[in-house]
Amino acid sequence: MTLSEEQRSLIEEFGIYQENNGFQPAVARVMGLLLVSDRPELTFDEISETLSISKSATSNSLNMLLNTGHIEYTTFSGDRKRYFRIKSSNWRELFAKKMEDLSYLNSLLKRVLEVRKRENPIYDTKLNDFISFLDYMKAQMPRLIDEWEKSRA
Amino acid sequence: MTLSEEQRSLIEEFGIYQENNGFQPAVARVMGLLLVSDRPELTFDEISETLSISKSATSNSLNMLLNTGHIEYTTFSGDRKRYFRIKSSNWRELFAKKMEDLSYLNSLLKRVLEVRKRENPIYDTKLNDFISFLDYMKAQMPRLIDEWEKSRA
DNA sequence: ATTTTAGTTCTGTAAATTATGAACTAATGA
DNA sequence: TCATTAGTTCATAATTTACAGAACTAAAAT
């Protein structure tokens, strides 16, 4: 596995981005590598060697990504290796998860309004606005996806 | 500052949510407290004492939240204390920042497509879909906000 | 003038996270 | 049957983070 300078730096930039999204450094680099490599499917050893991370870190990263549904693998008969690749079909699911996350936030904010006893209800209007907006977003999301699909048909 | 059990647990739940968004624990608790407390404006000492965090952690948290635009403070003449409160007017800005974040991801993904040389271009279509969807989302967001505003007028 | 207030900054450290390397396992191949 | 491959697991090392506590500062109050 040989990578261009651009590929290497993209792995790092993407890696840092994903670290900020809560992934551990090595995990984020593995995702980056699978994303930018010329070959879409890589083996355990290729990943470990190309990124210079230990076998244990590689094992841990791959299992983490398998469990969270970010990657998958194929095998070929007469070849014991697994070939790992990004599960690129699932960006919709990941997007849905982000939306779920916003839903949870919204439920927390609704509880906040119930629980706190503000003298002046003016303080509640902005929060109500945000809650309302999140509800609206969630409701409109299916339509938005639909329209996007039509727009490119 | 006395809080109900519900308020306390909401602070923790919101705190954990915000930890997952990359905030440090103490910072996340300060946001939570300012969100759920009956009085919308609290002093340094009230925050420190209510949450049982040290003055240094309180100072650090408040400055962090001031710098990132999450809170602000008022003062009253003849009173040296600052009264901190959530900058609730700015959820639009925060939302805009999230969108910026997605924009950055999108720019990375576009570079990925340019840089990697996949034998079979079929591997690029899913990624192109996602890129296209993110572009669409970004473009439609102002309209969506607009429609939401009209819907509640 | 000095004491109090309202914080800030600095140093040390406990705890958590992340990764390494070595030992291990289970399956395959020679 | 023995060696090799393709990983996994475990103990531990290194790094990072998050916070406490004490010393400090600048303005205001007495």
Side-chain angles (χ1 to χ4, degrees), chain A residues 1 33-35 37-44 46-47 72-76 82-86, chain B residues 118 123:
Chain A
M1 270 294 334
L33 173 58
L34 291 175
L35 193 61
S37 76
D38 296 332
R39 261 184 307 127
E41 290 164 351
L42 303 178
T43 67
F44 187 103
E46 284 174 326
I47 293 165
E72 60 191 354
Y73 64 85
T74 21
T75 50
F76 301 96
R82 290 182 291 174
Y83 292 78
F84 299 94
R85 64 165 173 248
I86 295 246
Chain B
R118 297 260 158 117
Y123 286 108

mmCIF file of all heavy atoms in Angstrom, chain A residues 1 33-35 37-44 46-47 72-76 82-86, chain B residues 118 123:
data_model
loop_
_atom_site.group_PDB
_atom_site.id
_atom_site.type_symbol
_atom_site.label_atom_id
_atom_site.label_comp_id
_atom_site.label_asym_id
_atom_site.label_seq_id
_atom_site.Cartn_x
_atom_site.Cartn_y
_atom_site.Cartn_z
ATOM 1 N N MET A 1 0.835 -1.215 0.000
ATOM 2 C CA MET A 1 0.000 0.000 0.000
ATOM 3 C C MET A 1 0.863 1.255 0.000
ATOM 4 O O MET A 1 1.449 1.616 1.010
ATOM 5 C CB MET A 1 -0.832 0.042 1.283
ATOM 6 C CG MET A 1 -2.171 -0.623 1.207
ATOM 7 S SD MET A 1 -3.342 0.164 0.099
ATOM 8 C CE MET A 1 -2.823 1.840 0.053
ATOM 9 N N LEU A 33 -8.213 5.960 5.899
ATOM 10 C CA LEU A 33 -7.479 5.144 4.930
ATOM 11 C C LEU A 33 -8.425 4.415 3.991
ATOM 12 O O LEU A 33 -8.243 4.434 2.763
ATOM 13 C CB LEU A 33 -6.577 4.142 5.665
ATOM 14 C CG LEU A 33 -5.881 3.102 4.782
ATOM 15 C CD1 LEU A 33 -5.021 3.765 3.718
ATOM 16 C CD2 LEU A 33 -5.056 2.143 5.632
ATOM 17 N N LEU A 34 -9.435 3.774 4.550
ATOM 18 C CA LEU A 34 -10.381 3.037 3.713
ATOM 19 C C LEU A 34 -11.116 3.972 2.753
ATOM 20 O O LEU A 34 -11.520 3.573 1.663
ATOM 21 C CB LEU A 34 -11.383 2.277 4.584
ATOM 22 C CG LEU A 34 -10.792 1.098 5.368
ATOM 23 C CD1 LEU A 34 -11.836 0.497 6.287
ATOM 24 C CD2 LEU A 34 -10.236 0.035 4.421
ATOM 25 N N LEU A 35 -11.248 5.214 3.175
ATOM 26 C CA LEU A 35 -11.944 6.198 2.335
ATOM 27 C C LEU A 35 -11.070 6.653 1.161
ATOM 28 O O LEU A 35 -11.543 6.724 0.025
ATOM 29 C CB LEU A 35 -12.329 7.400 3.203
ATOM 30 C CG LEU A 35 -13.308 8.416 2.633
ATOM 31 C CD1 LEU A 35 -14.642 7.755 2.331
ATOM 32 C CD2 LEU A 35 -13.493 9.553 3.631
ATOM 33 N N SER A 37 -8.021 5.354 -0.005
ATOM 34 C CA SER A 37 -7.116 4.451 -0.721
ATOM 35 C C SER A 37 -7.646 4.140 -2.116
ATOM 36 O O SER A 37 -8.856 4.118 -2.348
ATOM 37 C CB SER A 37 -6.928 3.152 0.059
ATOM 38 O OG SER A 37 -8.056 2.339 -0.087
ATOM 39 N N ASP A 38 -6.738 3.906 -3.038
ATOM 40 C CA ASP A 38 -7.147 3.613 -4.411
ATOM 41 C C ASP A 38 -7.944 2.315 -4.483
ATOM 42 O O ASP A 38 -8.958 2.239 -5.157
ATOM 43 C CB ASP A 38 -5.902 3.520 -5.313
ATOM 44 C CG ASP A 38 -5.176 4.855 -5.388
ATOM 45 O OD1 ASP A 38 -5.844 5.898 -5.236
ATOM 46 O OD2 ASP A 38 -3.947 4.857 -5.576
ATOM 47 N N ARG A 39 -7.453 1.315 -3.754
ATOM 48 C CA ARG A 39 -8.235 0.089 -3.666
ATOM 49 C C ARG A 39 -9.258 0.237 -2.556
ATOM 50 O O ARG A 39 -8.905 0.662 -1.454
ATOM 51 C CB ARG A 39 -7.313 -1.114 -3.385
ATOM 52 C CG ARG A 39 -6.977 -1.904 -4.674
ATOM 53 C CD ARG A 39 -6.166 -3.129 -4.376
ATOM 54 N NE ARG A 39 -4.992 -2.784 -3.590
ATOM 55 C CZ ARG A 39 -4.673 -3.368 -2.429
ATOM 56 N NH1 ARG A 39 -5.438 -4.304 -1.917
ATOM 57 N NH2 ARG A 39 -3.569 -3.012 -1.811
ATOM 58 N N PRO A 40 -10.505 -0.109 -2.812
ATOM 59 C CA PRO A 40 -11.552 0.106 -1.809
ATOM 60 C C PRO A 40 -11.516 -0.904 -0.667
ATOM 61 O O PRO A 40 -12.091 -0.656 0.388
ATOM 62 C CB PRO A 40 -12.852 -0.018 -2.593
ATOM 63 C CG PRO A 40 -12.502 -0.799 -3.814
ATOM 64 C CD PRO A 40 -11.053 -0.570 -4.107
ATOM 65 N N GLU A 41 -10.846 -2.028 -0.895
ATOM 66 C CA GLU A 41 -10.834 -3.078 0.130
ATOM 67 C C GLU A 41 -9.418 -3.379 0.563
ATOM 68 O O GLU A 41 -8.558 -3.696 -0.263
ATOM 69 C CB GLU A 41 -11.488 -4.353 -0.424
ATOM 70 C CG GLU A 41 -12.986 -4.213 -0.608
ATOM 71 C CD GLU A 41 -13.579 -5.300 -1.491
ATOM 72 O OE1 GLU A 41 -12.809 -6.062 -2.108
ATOM 73 O OE2 GLU A 41 -14.812 -5.370 -1.556
ATOM 74 N N LEU A 42 -9.186 -3.325 1.856
ATOM 75 C CA LEU A 42 -7.837 -3.548 2.364
ATOM 76 C C LEU A 42 -7.839 -4.626 3.443
ATOM 77 O O LEU A 42 -8.841 -4.808 4.144
ATOM 78 C CB LEU A 42 -7.261 -2.252 2.947
ATOM 79 C CG LEU A 42 -7.207 -1.054 2.000
ATOM 80 C CD1 LEU A 42 -6.661 0.169 2.722
ATOM 81 C CD2 LEU A 42 -6.344 -1.371 0.773
ATOM 82 N N THR A 43 -6.700 -5.283 3.574
ATOM 83 C CA THR A 43 -6.586 -6.316 4.597
ATOM 84 C C THR A 43 -6.089 -5.727 5.910
ATOM 85 O O THR A 43 -5.564 -4.608 5.954
ATOM 86 C CB THR A 43 -5.584 -7.402 4.170
ATOM 87 O OG1 THR A 43 -4.276 -6.820 4.142
ATOM 88 C CG2 THR A 43 -5.909 -7.961 2.816
ATOM 89 N N PHE A 44 -6.255 -6.544 6.937
ATOM 90 C CA PHE A 44 -5.756 -6.199 8.276
ATOM 91 C C PHE A 44 -4.311 -5.696 8.233
ATOM 92 O O PHE A 44 -3.998 -4.611 8.727
ATOM 93 C CB PHE A 44 -5.865 -7.441 9.154
ATOM 94 C CG PHE A 44 -5.552 -7.227 10.605
ATOM 95 C CD1 PHE A 44 -6.581 -7.139 11.535
ATOM 96 C CD2 PHE A 44 -4.246 -7.135 11.046
ATOM 97 C CE1 PHE A 44 -6.302 -6.964 12.890
ATOM 98 C CE2 PHE A 44 -3.962 -6.944 12.396
ATOM 99 C CZ PHE A 44 -4.988 -6.866 13.312
ATOM 100 N N GLU A 46 -2.429 -4.745 5.685
ATOM 101 C CA GLU A 46 -2.233 -3.525 4.898
ATOM 102 C C GLU A 46 -2.579 -2.292 5.731
ATOM 103 O O GLU A 46 -1.868 -1.287 5.702
ATOM 104 C CB GLU A 46 -3.114 -3.567 3.647
ATOM 105 C CG GLU A 46 -2.580 -4.499 2.564
ATOM 106 C CD GLU A 46 -3.535 -4.640 1.388
ATOM 107 O OE1 GLU A 46 -4.774 -4.606 1.598
ATOM 108 O OE2 GLU A 46 -3.050 -4.799 0.253
ATOM 109 N N ILE A 47 -3.666 -2.380 6.449
ATOM 110 C CA ILE A 47 -4.101 -1.256 7.277
ATOM 111 C C ILE A 47 -3.083 -0.988 8.368
ATOM 112 O O ILE A 47 -2.631 0.143 8.571
ATOM 113 C CB ILE A 47 -5.495 -1.549 7.886
ATOM 114 C CG1 ILE A 47 -6.539 -1.599 6.770
ATOM 115 C CG2 ILE A 47 -5.856 -0.520 8.934
ATOM 116 C CD1 ILE A 47 -7.861 -2.234 7.184
ATOM 117 N N GLU A 72 -17.482 -2.971 6.688
ATOM 118 C CA GLU A 72 -17.866 -4.370 6.549
ATOM 119 C C GLU A 72 -16.700 -5.064 5.861
ATOM 120 O O GLU A 72 -15.693 -4.433 5.574
ATOM 121 C CB GLU A 72 -19.153 -4.480 5.716
ATOM 122 C CG GLU A 72 -18.991 -3.906 4.324
ATOM 123 C CD GLU A 72 -20.305 -3.755 3.572
ATOM 124 O OE1 GLU A 72 -21.341 -4.196 4.085
ATOM 125 O OE2 GLU A 72 -20.268 -3.188 2.458
ATOM 126 N N TYR A 73 -16.799 -6.371 5.647
ATOM 127 C CA TYR A 73 -15.704 -7.039 4.938
ATOM 128 C C TYR A 73 -16.235 -8.130 4.043
ATOM 129 O O TYR A 73 -17.327 -8.637 4.256
ATOM 130 C CB TYR A 73 -14.671 -7.587 5.917
ATOM 131 C CG TYR A 73 -15.183 -8.670 6.845
ATOM 132 C CD1 TYR A 73 -15.212 -10.005 6.435
ATOM 133 C CD2 TYR A 73 -15.617 -8.351 8.121
ATOM 134 C CE1 TYR A 73 -15.675 -10.998 7.295
ATOM 135 C CE2 TYR A 73 -16.085 -9.337 8.988
ATOM 136 C CZ TYR A 73 -16.120 -10.650 8.572
ATOM 137 O OH TYR A 73 -16.575 -11.618 9.417
ATOM 138 N N THR A 74 -15.452 -8.464 3.049
ATOM 139 C CA THR A 74 -15.713 -9.631 2.204
ATOM 140 C C THR A 74 -14.553 -10.586 2.341
ATOM 141 O O THR A 74 -13.459 -10.206 2.772
ATOM 142 C CB THR A 74 -15.775 -9.320 0.696
ATOM 143 O OG1 THR A 74 -15.111 -8.105 0.446
ATOM 144 C CG2 THR A 74 -17.190 -9.296 0.215
ATOM 145 N N THR A 75 -14.819 -11.799 1.916
ATOM 146 C CA THR A 75 -13.760 -12.810 1.889
ATOM 147 C C THR A 75 -13.767 -13.431 0.499
ATOM 148 O O THR A 75 -14.719 -13.272 -0.260
ATOM 149 C CB THR A 75 -14.028 -13.897 2.937
ATOM 150 O OG1 THR A 75 -15.377 -14.341 2.778
ATOM 151 C CG2 THR A 75 -13.834 -13.351 4.325
ATOM 152 N N PHE A 76 -12.679 -14.128 0.190
ATOM 153 C CA PHE A 76 -12.584 -14.833 -1.087
ATOM 154 C C PHE A 76 -12.158 -16.259 -0.797
ATOM 155 O O PHE A 76 -11.269 -16.476 0.037
ATOM 156 C CB PHE A 76 -11.580 -14.148 -2.005
ATOM 157 C CG PHE A 76 -11.928 -12.720 -2.302
ATOM 158 C CD1 PHE A 76 -11.353 -11.682 -1.568
ATOM 159 C CD2 PHE A 76 -12.854 -12.409 -3.291
ATOM 160 C CE1 PHE A 76 -11.689 -10.361 -1.824
ATOM 161 C CE2 PHE A 76 -13.193 -11.089 -3.549
ATOM 162 C CZ PHE A 76 -12.612 -10.060 -2.821
ATOM 163 N N ARG A 82 -9.495 -11.212 5.525
ATOM 164 C CA ARG A 82 -10.744 -10.474 5.341
ATOM 165 C C ARG A 82 -10.401 -9.165 4.632
ATOM 166 O O ARG A 82 -9.352 -8.572 4.895
ATOM 167 C CB ARG A 82 -11.395 -10.176 6.691
ATOM 168 C CG ARG A 82 -11.946 -11.426 7.352
ATOM 169 C CD ARG A 82 -12.624 -11.126 8.665
ATOM 170 N NE ARG A 82 -11.680 -10.713 9.701
ATOM 171 C CZ ARG A 82 -12.041 -10.274 10.916
ATOM 172 N NH1 ARG A 82 -13.316 -10.188 11.224
ATOM 173 N NH2 ARG A 82 -11.127 -9.924 11.796
ATOM 174 N N TYR A 83 -11.272 -8.744 3.762
ATOM 175 C CA TYR A 83 -11.041 -7.496 3.034
ATOM 176 C C TYR A 83 -12.048 -6.458 3.500
ATOM 177 O O TYR A 83 -13.245 -6.576 3.245
ATOM 178 C CB TYR A 83 -11.120 -7.745 1.521
ATOM 179 C CG TYR A 83 -9.974 -8.596 1.038
ATOM 180 C CD1 TYR A 83 -9.984 -9.984 1.232
ATOM 181 C CD2 TYR A 83 -8.843 -8.016 0.473
ATOM 182 C CE1 TYR A 83 -8.910 -10.765 0.833
ATOM 183 C CE2 TYR A 83 -7.756 -8.794 0.072
ATOM 184 C CZ TYR A 83 -7.796 -10.168 0.262
ATOM 185 O OH TYR A 83 -6.719 -10.928 -0.120
ATOM 186 N N PHE A 84 -11.521 -5.478 4.215
ATOM 187 C CA PHE A 84 -12.378 -4.474 4.851
ATOM 188 C C PHE A 84 -12.639 -3.299 3.928
ATOM 189 O O PHE A 84 -11.752 -2.850 3.218
ATOM 190 C CB PHE A 84 -11.712 -3.972 6.132
ATOM 191 C CG PHE A 84 -11.499 -5.050 7.146
ATOM 192 C CD1 PHE A 84 -10.287 -5.732 7.209
ATOM 193 C CD2 PHE A 84 -12.518 -5.400 8.027
ATOM 194 C CE1 PHE A 84 -10.089 -6.731 8.149
ATOM 195 C CE2 PHE A 84 -12.323 -6.402 8.970
ATOM 196 C CZ PHE A 84 -11.104 -7.064 9.032
ATOM 197 N N ARG A 85 -13.873 -2.823 3.977
ATOM 198 C CA ARG A 85 -14.216 -1.637 3.190
ATOM 199 C C ARG A 85 -15.266 -0.793 3.914
ATOM 200 O O ARG A 85 -15.974 -1.284 4.789
ATOM 201 C CB ARG A 85 -14.764 -2.071 1.829
ATOM 202 C CG ARG A 85 -16.058 -2.843 1.945
ATOM 203 C CD ARG A 85 -16.805 -2.985 0.641
ATOM 204 N NE ARG A 85 -17.937 -3.886 0.827
ATOM 205 C CZ ARG A 85 -18.048 -5.102 0.273
ATOM 206 N NH1 ARG A 85 -17.087 -5.568 -0.515
ATOM 207 N NH2 ARG A 85 -19.102 -5.833 0.502
ATOM 208 N N ILE A 86 -15.296 0.463 3.554
ATOM 209 C CA ILE A 86 -16.312 1.369 4.098
ATOM 210 C C ILE A 86 -17.699 0.900 3.662
ATOM 211 O O ILE A 86 -17.883 0.494 2.521
ATOM 212 C CB ILE A 86 -16.097 2.801 3.565
ATOM 213 C CG1 ILE A 86 -14.755 3.346 4.080
ATOM 214 C CG2 ILE A 86 -17.285 3.695 3.910
ATOM 215 C CD1 ILE A 86 -14.874 4.493 5.008
ATOM 216 N N ARG B 118 -9.833 5.066 -8.098
ATOM 217 C CA ARG B 118 -10.491 3.767 -8.047
ATOM 218 C C ARG B 118 -10.619 3.201 -9.454
ATOM 219 O O ARG B 118 -11.080 3.889 -10.372
ATOM 220 C CB ARG B 118 -11.881 3.901 -7.408
ATOM 221 C CG ARG B 118 -11.834 4.362 -5.948
ATOM 222 C CD ARG B 118 -11.997 3.195 -5.012
ATOM 223 N NE ARG B 118 -11.459 3.489 -3.688
ATOM 224 C CZ ARG B 118 -12.193 3.531 -2.567
ATOM 225 N NH1 ARG B 118 -13.476 3.313 -2.611
ATOM 226 N NH2 ARG B 118 -11.601 3.763 -1.404
ATOM 227 N N TYR B 123 -17.648 2.554 -7.319
ATOM 228 C CA TYR B 123 -17.376 2.835 -5.912
ATOM 229 C C TYR B 123 -17.559 4.312 -5.571
ATOM 230 O O TYR B 123 -17.621 4.671 -4.409
ATOM 231 C CB TYR B 123 -15.965 2.397 -5.543
ATOM 232 C CG TYR B 123 -15.819 0.907 -5.424
ATOM 233 C CD1 TYR B 123 -15.125 0.167 -6.383
ATOM 234 C CD2 TYR B 123 -16.387 0.226 -4.354
ATOM 235 C CE1 TYR B 123 -14.990 -1.208 -6.274
ATOM 236 C CE2 TYR B 123 -16.264 -1.146 -4.236
ATOM 237 C CZ TYR B 123 -15.565 -1.863 -5.198
ATOM 238 O OH TYR B 123 -15.452 -3.212 -5.081
#
